């Protein structure tokens, strides 16, 4: 091969490697976890938690959901009873919106075992600001 063709091949290979590096970096940035923050101050949250449950964590973050930036609640609950449990969670906001669901969402893999914790993320559609106050209710399915 002529030296000129070798130089072109070398530069094009370097260009391809550089572009792949940029794509990998962009993918890692897109997959990075969003920054979590305290949803509200402790005196602005009203809690009604079943005696079989212990709230281990409640944080918020903003992330795209259905094409729009939305508030997400990340809730972790621990089973402090002696029996496996399933929990019903309700989060009511001061602006009239509410989210909630079951932990675990499906029982095929089993319930939350004694001493174990389970986490779920609840998105709030069309809400791109922090809430003013929160009413949180965690109940067992038998209540």
């Amino acid at each position: 091969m002529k030296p000129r063709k070798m130089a072109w091949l070398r530069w094009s290979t370097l260009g391809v490697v550089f572009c792949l590096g940029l794509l990998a970096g962009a993918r890692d940035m897109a997959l990075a976890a969003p920054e979590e923050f305290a949803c509200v101050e402790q005196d602005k949250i009203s809690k009604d938690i079943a005696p079989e449950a212990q709230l281990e964590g409640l944080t918020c973050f903003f992330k795209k959901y259905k094409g729009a930036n939305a508030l997400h609640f990340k809730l972790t609950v621990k089973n402090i009873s002696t029996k496996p449990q399933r929990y019903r969670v309700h989060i009511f906001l001061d602006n009239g919106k509410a989210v909630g669901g079951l932990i675990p969402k499906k029982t095929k893999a089993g319930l939350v075992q004694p001493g174990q914790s389970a986490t779920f993320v609840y998105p709030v559609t069309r809400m791109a600001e922090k809430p003013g106050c929160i009413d949180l209710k965690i109940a067992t399915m038998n209540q």
Side-chain angles (χ1 to χ4, degrees):
M1 261 203 232
K2 294 182 182 178
R4 187 173 268 188
K5 287 187 178 180
M6 290 296 287
W8 178 84
L9 181 63
R10 189 176 311 133
W11 284 109
S12 63
T13 303
L14 284 174
V16 168
V17 169
F18 179 74
C19 289
L20 289 174
L22 285 176
L23 287 173
R27 179 184 56 87
D28 289 342
M29 285 177 30
L31 295 176
E35 184 179 335
E36 294 183 10
F37 55 89
C39 301
V40 294
E41 298 169 13
Q42 286 298 319
D43 61 337
K44 303 256 180 174
I45 184 166
S46 169
K47 299 175 189 172
D48 180 13
I49 300 175
E52 298 87 0
Q54 176 183 355
L55 179 64
E56 284 197 322
L58 177 63
T59 58
C60 290
F61 60 91
F62 289 104
K63 183 179 168 183
K64 291 276 185 191
Y65 183 75
K66 294 188 177 181
N69 204 25
L71 178 71
H72 287 68
F73 288 96
K74 182 178 178 182
L75 184 128
T76 303
V77 64
K78 182 176 182 177
N79 182 356
I80 58 173
S81 73
T82 58
K83 298 187 306 186
Q85 298 287 340
R86 188 173 193 197
Y87 300 101
R88 180 177 305 279
V89 175
H90 295 272
I91 303 172
F92 300 99
L93 307 177
D94 58 339
N95 64 358
K97 290 185 178 272
V99 293
L102 300 172
I103 296 179
K105 188 174 180 179
K106 296 185 180 189
T107 59
K108 186 175 183 178
L111 302 174
V112 181
Q113 297 301 314
Q116 298 296 312
S117 298
T119 301
F120 197 78
V121 175
Y122 302 97
V124 184
T125 57
R126 293 186 299 262
M127 185 161 173
E129 66 275 350
K130 288 178 69 171
C133 63
I134 297 173
D135 290 330
L136 172 65
K137 182 177 181 189
I138 302 174
T140 58
M141 287 298 292
N142 60 5
Q143 290 183 338

